Amino acid sequence: MQNKQIVVIEDEPDILEVLCYNLEREGYKVFESLDGSEGLALIKQKMPDLVLLDLMLPSMDGLEICRQLKANQRTQHIPIIMVTAKGEESDVVLGLGIGADDYIPKPFSPRELIARVKAIIRRSERVEQLDNKDVIEIDYSELGRLVVDNSKHLVSLNNENIKMTASEFRLLFCLASHPGQVFSREQLLNHTSGDNVMVIDRNIDVHIRSIRKKMGAENPFIETIRSIGYRFLDR
Ligand code: CA
């Protein structure tokens, strides 16, 4: 198997070293940069399978790099994980809105880092399969088999139907068709009120609470990401 390639842009040498060491140990081919615009050039040159991106960087900040990658047809498919410091939650929300895929808060454990990287690479490989699907079927072994059918507007868990309101259904469909992906509230609003069918109540949190209750309060399908938004459970 060909090694997956990752570009890491981080201006703190110690953190860069930790990131690269752990990724290389896991078998990834890593290219690194301490500088924003140099890092952007490196991405365009290497066309990696994933980018790990610090936000505060010299010469060009991480959000701008993200913006440029997503605006360019050649690079817009490359998944981006932001590596963020405490207090950058609002930048994370902005980044997700621009098209970043996920974020890892500092300090991170190597285990968490690798798990996140693997999940994002795996997801980017199957994103097309899920993206145009009308029926989402995920087998969560111990939690049961979840089916979210967009054409019939049906949700079932272990063959038991769960009644959802129209707004709840659209939110759930959006989250469940991107398991593991973090969505900000703003993104969820955009995803669920994109067409003219219905403008959903802006209070996302109320809907989420109700969805959770209906799916069984003890089932951890929807994770709250503090100060950011929500993420649906990945298998
Ligand atoms: Ca930095």
Side-chain angles (χ1 to χ4, degrees), residues 70 75 88 138 173:
K70 293 301 169 186
T75 54
E88 289 182 329
I138 309 176
F173 187 75

Side-chain angles (χ1 to χ4, degrees), residues 42-209:
L42 185 65
I43 295 168
K44 289 178 175 166
Q45 186 203 339
K46 300 293 181 192
M47 295 298 287
D49 299 287
L50 179 81
V51 172
L52 277 182
L53 187 59
D54 181 25
L55 291 185
M56 292 282 280
L57 288 165
S59 83
M60 182 185 288
D61 69 43
L63 284 179
E64 182 55 29
I65 293 174
C66 185
R67 208 172 274 126
Q68 295 208 16
L69 289 175
K70 293 301 169 186
N72 183 334
Q73 225 174 11
R74 217 167 68 86
T75 54
Q76 63 187 189
H77 67 280
I78 301 174
I80 299 170
I81 301 180
M82 300 175 279
V83 183
T84 61
K86 209 170 153 57
E88 289 182 329
E89 286 83 1
S90 58
D91 285 338
V92 170
V93 172
L94 272 176
L96 294 172
I98 299 168
D101 292 81
D102 202 352
Y103 78 104
I104 301 174
K106 296 175 197 170
F108 49 83
S109 74
R111 228 168 118 183
E112 186 192 355
L113 166 77
I114 296 301
R116 210 62 73 76
V117 164
K118 279 187 177 160
I120 295 291
I121 288 181
R122 198 177 57 214
R123 200 178 71 214
S124 76
E125 288 172 338
R126 65 165 200 237
V127 79
E128 274 184 25
Q129 296 161 264
L130 274 174
D131 244 7
N132 301 310
K133 264 201 169 168
D134 227 24
V135 184
I136 311 292
E137 275 194 65
I138 309 176
D139 193 349
Y140 284 101
S141 46
E142 68 278 11
L143 294 177
R145 201 174 69 105
L146 175 73
V147 179
V148 187
D149 186 329
N150 197 32
S151 56
K152 297 182 192 145
H153 260 236
L154 278 178
V155 180
S156 71
L157 183 59
N158 274 334
N159 296 320
E160 282 203 36
N161 285 346
I162 304 174
K163 266 198 159 11
M164 298 274 174
T165 66
S167 301
E168 288 163 5
F169 182 85
R170 298 187 59 158
L171 271 176
L172 177 64
F173 187 75
C174 172
L175 286 163
S177 53
H178 303 85
Q181 180 171 346
V182 180
F183 285 91
S184 67
R185 289 174 178 80
E186 197 63 35
Q187 275 181 302
L188 286 172
L189 271 177
N190 292 340
H191 270 271
T192 46
S193 53
D195 48 35
N196 53 14
V197 177
M198 166 192 54
V199 175
I200 107 167
D201 181 343
R202 290 191 66 86
N203 201 335
I204 294 284
D205 298 340
V206 172
H207 293 309
I208 296 282
R209 205 175 310 145

